[in-house]
Amino acid sequence: MGMLEIKVSKVFEKDKDSTMALKDINLTVKDGEFVCLIGPSGCGKTTLLRLVAGLEPPTSGDIILDGKRIMGPDPKKGMVFQEYSLFPWRNVIRNVSFGLEMQGMAKDESEKIAEKYIRMVGLEQFKYSYPHELSGGMRQRVAIARALANNPKILLMDEPFGALDAQTRNELQIELLDVWKEENITILFVTHSVDEAVFLADRIAVMTSRPGEIKEIIDVDISRPRERTSPEANRIRNRILRLLEEERKSTKNE
């Protein structure tokens, strides 16, 4: 048994049409594991993440987190989106403390916890700044700190670095790994970047074209810190690229 057990299918109904987005997904994520989801555009990666977050119900099957069936959103599941989704009228510390305030925690106590995670992501000097005063990378650090402040069991990340320039993206990947090790948190991470998945993950779940299924799960048996262009990384990268190319060709031939 893992910390997260996913056995689901998902069908979207609209008018009289139905679209199967996910088919017979079977994925286990262990406690403290870093797992990446990768696959063709439209294969259901984000949908799967939303099911785990409790933002969408599965059509069939169950998702079990820490022994309990997921029935909806709750603080045990931290979510980080690509678009940052910060409150523009709140400064950094009040953005990070927001979830704690919603749980009824006193402002002084919630801001004390928020400060811990703001320090962790290297933004202590900017805790009173507002989102419009920050770079894209800094805003995403705030979003990560906000998710961590709620002490979640699992961190769900939907292409969190996809909108950033290459240098900032690489820096945040390294910082995320530092946070992951320090907090010993479980991470389920959606990405379109094969390089990113190989650099970050313990395991990579490669998905098929719609309806999304798990095509193959690849163990990334490379010690950390990883060299992005090492022979081992290139071997795994090429394997994933071959799997994705198979999906591209199968879709084209349909």
Side-chain angles (χ1 to χ4, degrees):
M1 293 290 288
M3 178 191 177
L4 179 68
E5 302 277 341
I6 306 172
K7 294 182 179 180
V8 294
S9 294
K10 179 65 178 179
V11 177
F12 288 105
E13 305 280 355
K14 185 176 182 181
D15 299 326
K16 294 183 179 180
D17 295 327
S18 63
T19 301
M20 176 162 275
L22 298 169
K23 181 182 178 184
D24 299 329
I25 297 292
N26 190 338
L27 178 65
T28 298
V29 181
K30 293 176 283 189
D31 189 17
E33 191 174 25
F34 199 131
V35 173
C36 279
L37 298 172
I38 194 166
S41 295
C43 72
K45 300 183 296 295
T46 294
T47 297
L48 181 54
L49 213 64
R50 288 177 62 83
L51 296 183
V52 177
L55 299 173
E56 294 269 358
T59 304
S60 62
D62 289 313
I63 303 176
I64 308 298
L65 177 63
D66 224 15
K68 295 182 181 179
R69 184 184 178 197
I70 291 175
M71 302 297 291
D74 64 63
K76 289 185 178 180
K77 303 180 289 290
M79 189 89 181
V80 180
F81 302 94
Q82 181 176 338
E83 300 84 8
Y84 320 125
S85 61
L86 302 179
F87 299 116
W89 59 89
R90 282 178 167 249
N91 60 24
V92 167
I93 193 166
R94 298 210 62 225
N95 260 289
V96 175
S97 65
F98 176 77
L100 300 172
E101 293 174 24
M102 292 300 99
Q103 295 175 54
M105 187 178 291
K107 182 179 178 182
D108 288 351
E109 187 178 356
S110 66
E111 290 193 353
K112 183 178 180 181
I113 293 171
E115 285 189 356
K116 170 189 172 182
Y117 291 100
I118 291 168
R119 285 195 299 272
M120 186 178 291
V121 298
L123 291 178
E124 191 172 14
Q125 294 181 342
F126 299 90
K127 63 183 178 180
Y128 297 122
S129 298
Y130 286 83
H132 72 272
E133 300 173 310
L134 306 176
S135 68
M138 293 165 76
R139 289 196 293 271
Q140 199 58 294
R141 287 182 176 94
V142 176
I144 293 169
R146 182 176 62 182
L148 291 171
N150 292 312
N151 192 29
K153 294 284 186 180
I154 187 167
L155 192 59
L156 307 171
M157 309 188 79
D158 190 7
E159 296 192 69
F161 308 143
L164 304 175
D165 64 85
Q167 182 177 344
T168 303
R169 185 171 188 156
N170 288 351
E171 289 172 358
L172 284 185
Q173 289 167 2
I174 294 168
E175 291 177 18
L176 177 61
L177 288 174
D178 289 341
V179 169
W180 170 64
K181 286 185 284 188
E182 184 171 342
E183 292 292 291
N184 192 31
I185 194 169
T186 306
I187 296 180
L188 186 59
F189 188 107
V190 166
T191 181
H192 273 104
S193 169
V194 176
D195 289 350
E196 183 167 68
V198 174
F199 184 73
L200 292 174
D202 293 317
R203 289 188 300 146
I204 300 169
V206 181
M207 296 180 65
T208 66
S209 301
R210 185 182 296 172
E213 302 178 64
I214 302 295
K215 183 179 179 74
E216 189 171 326
I217 297 177
I218 297 171
D219 291 317
V220 186
D221 51 352
I222 307 174
S223 60
R224 294 184 173 92
R226 293 174 180 168
E227 291 291 335
R228 297 178 189 269
T229 58
S230 70
E232 296 85 0
N234 286 332
R235 171 178 54 83
I236 294 174
R237 182 185 300 108
N238 290 338
R239 181 176 170 188
I240 296 170
L241 289 171
R242 283 195 298 271
L243 292 171
L244 295 174
E245 179 63 12
E246 287 174 8
E247 287 306 300
R248 188 190 70 80
K249 287 180 178 179
S250 67
T251 302
K252 187 176 180 180
N253 293 332
E254 286 181 357

